[in-house]
């Protein structure tokens, strides 16, 4: 039986590709014309996830990590940028992120779940604390999820896929691991981390990535936003657990 559902934020509750596309087009219009923007966004997420641990460990500063991820994406297509240009991109990207809105399906799910007294809700998200709190505020997530049931990686000292961040959530949220479902779009961070901590995992594979080599399998997988409400309903209404 599932009695708790914890959500990722970035590209799970809102479409993160749109702010990226807009910022890339504004800052590097010539490069944007030569990119498959969907592929560029996936590479941006790859470099972001790959190097965030270097920021958490103190090996890199946050500005350098942010410069590096966009610089690496552009380098793949033969474009070289300065650190100043990379940080200008970050500034525009953050302005675009300030316009994000919940996916309609996500809002409907959160509203339904928040009204279900048998289901508890939470959030685990990777990222700098101030940056992720701005997104949480913009998306008005506290309407459905209490702030004490939200964990941001920088504040916790752990980052997905480290199972310790999931263990921390289990303890802090007073959830039972085997009865908790994590919903996220990134297999390496979200599925691997959740499964290693003894949680159930729903892979929200709407970017249609190939499954990476992993010792873990997700419990559920969907590839379209519109599939999410029905599957969540099935899981909580039929008590379905694989």
């Amino acid at each position: 039986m599932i009695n708790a559902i914890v959500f990722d934020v970035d590209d799970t509750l809102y479409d993160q590709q749109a702010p990226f596309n807009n910022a890339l087009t504004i800052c590097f219009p010539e490069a944007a014309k030569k990119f498959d923007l969907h592929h560029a966004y996936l590479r941006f997420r790859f470099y972001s996830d790959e190097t965030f641990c270097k920021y958490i460990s103190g090996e890199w500063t946050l500005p350098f990590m942010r410069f590096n991820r966009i610089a690496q994406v552009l380098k793949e297509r033969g474009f070289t940028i300065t650190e100043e240009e990379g940080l200008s991109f970050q500034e525009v990207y953050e302005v675009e992120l300030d316009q994000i809105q919940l996916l309609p399906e996500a809002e409907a799910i959160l509203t339904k779940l928040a009204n279900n007294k048998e289901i508890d809700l939470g959030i685990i998200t990777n990222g700098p604390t101030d940056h992720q709190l701005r997104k949480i505020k913009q998306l008005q997530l506290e309407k459905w999820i209490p702030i004490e049931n939200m964990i941001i990686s920088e504040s916790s000292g752990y980052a997905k896929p480290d199972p310790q961040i999931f263990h921390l959530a289990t303890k802090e949220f007073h959830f039972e691991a085997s009865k908790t479902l994590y919903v996220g779009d990134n297999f390496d961070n979200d599925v691997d981390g959740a499964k290693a901590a003894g949680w159930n995992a729903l892979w929200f594979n709407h970017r249609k990535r190939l499954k990476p080599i992993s010792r873990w399998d997700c419990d559920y997988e969907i590839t379209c936003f519109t599939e999410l409400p029905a599957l969540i309903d099935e899981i909580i209404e039929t008590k379905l657990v694989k």
Side-chain angles (χ1 to χ4, degrees):
M1 174 182 174
I2 295 294
N3 59 20
I5 300 178
V6 180
F7 291 90
D8 172 45
V9 174
D10 292 322
D11 218 34
T12 296
L13 296 178
Y14 74 95
D15 179 4
Q16 194 178 26
Q17 185 170 336
F20 171 81
N21 288 357
N22 292 342
L24 189 71
T25 301
I26 290 167
C27 296
F28 308 111
E30 292 306 312
K33 291 176 184 177
K34 298 182 179 181
F35 270 107
D36 174 334
L37 292 179
H38 175 68
H39 177 73
Y41 167 73
L42 292 181
R43 298 303 291 164
F44 180 74
R45 286 290 303 274
F46 170 79
Y47 287 117
S48 182
D49 293 335
E50 183 183 59
T51 60
F52 183 70
C53 60
K54 293 186 177 182
Y55 163 62
I56 288 290
S57 68
E59 183 179 348
W60 285 5
T61 65
L62 181 59
F64 183 78
M65 188 212 79
R66 287 171 165 172
F67 155 71
N68 179 269
R69 63 185 181 179
I70 187 60
Q72 291 297 326
V73 171
L74 293 169
K75 185 178 179 181
E76 290 184 357
R77 290 295 181 271
F79 293 91
T80 302
I81 62 171
T82 65
E83 190 163 348
E84 182 178 2
E85 289 173 321
L87 295 180
S88 293
F89 167 84
Q90 178 66 30
E91 291 177 2
V92 175
Y93 180 51
E94 290 190 25
V95 170
E96 294 295 324
L97 285 172
D98 284 339
Q99 310 305 314
I100 58 175
Q101 300 294 324
L102 276 176
L103 295 166
E105 296 85 357
E107 183 169 0
I109 290 167
L110 290 172
T111 299
K112 184 169 185 174
L113 292 176
N115 289 327
N116 186 329
K117 302 305 181 184
E118 296 183 359
I119 301 293
D120 292 314
L121 299 177
I123 281 174
I124 299 175
T125 179
N126 274 3
T129 302
D130 291 347
H131 190 56
Q132 296 306 101
L133 282 175
R134 283 173 59 186
K135 295 176 189 175
I136 288 168
K137 182 178 180 180
Q138 173 64 23
L139 296 172
Q140 301 180 38
L141 292 177
E142 289 181 70
K143 287 172 58 176
W144 301 279
I145 303 172
I147 192 69
E148 59 268 23
N149 279 15
M150 300 183 188
I151 288 180
I152 299 172
S153 61
E154 182 181 40
S155 299
S156 74
Y158 305 108
K160 299 181 295 182
D162 187 341
Q164 289 301 322
I165 197 169
F166 294 90
H167 292 318
L168 178 65
T170 301
K171 178 181 178 181
E172 295 294 326
F173 301 168
H174 305 291
F175 291 173
E176 187 175 340
S178 64
K179 296 181 180 180
T180 301
L181 176 72
Y182 191 70
V183 180
D185 70 296
N186 185 300
F187 196 98
D188 291 323
N189 281 353
D190 300 329
V191 176
D192 281 355
K195 295 299 291 183
W199 291 26
N200 301 277
L202 190 163
W203 186 23
F204 191 14
N205 188 22
H206 60 101
R207 300 298 177 192
K208 299 182 179 178
R209 299 177 172 98
L210 294 176
K211 178 183 178 297
I213 297 173
S214 173
R215 63 176 291 194
W216 305 107
D217 288 317
C218 58
D219 297 283
Y220 314 95
E221 178 182 352
I222 59 174
T223 59
C224 179
F225 291 127
T226 55
E227 296 177 84
L228 189 55
L231 180 56
I232 293 286
D233 283 347
E234 183 181 7
I235 292 169
I236 65 175
E237 290 177 8
T238 68
K239 316 301 184 187
L240 175 64
V241 179
K242 291 188 176 180

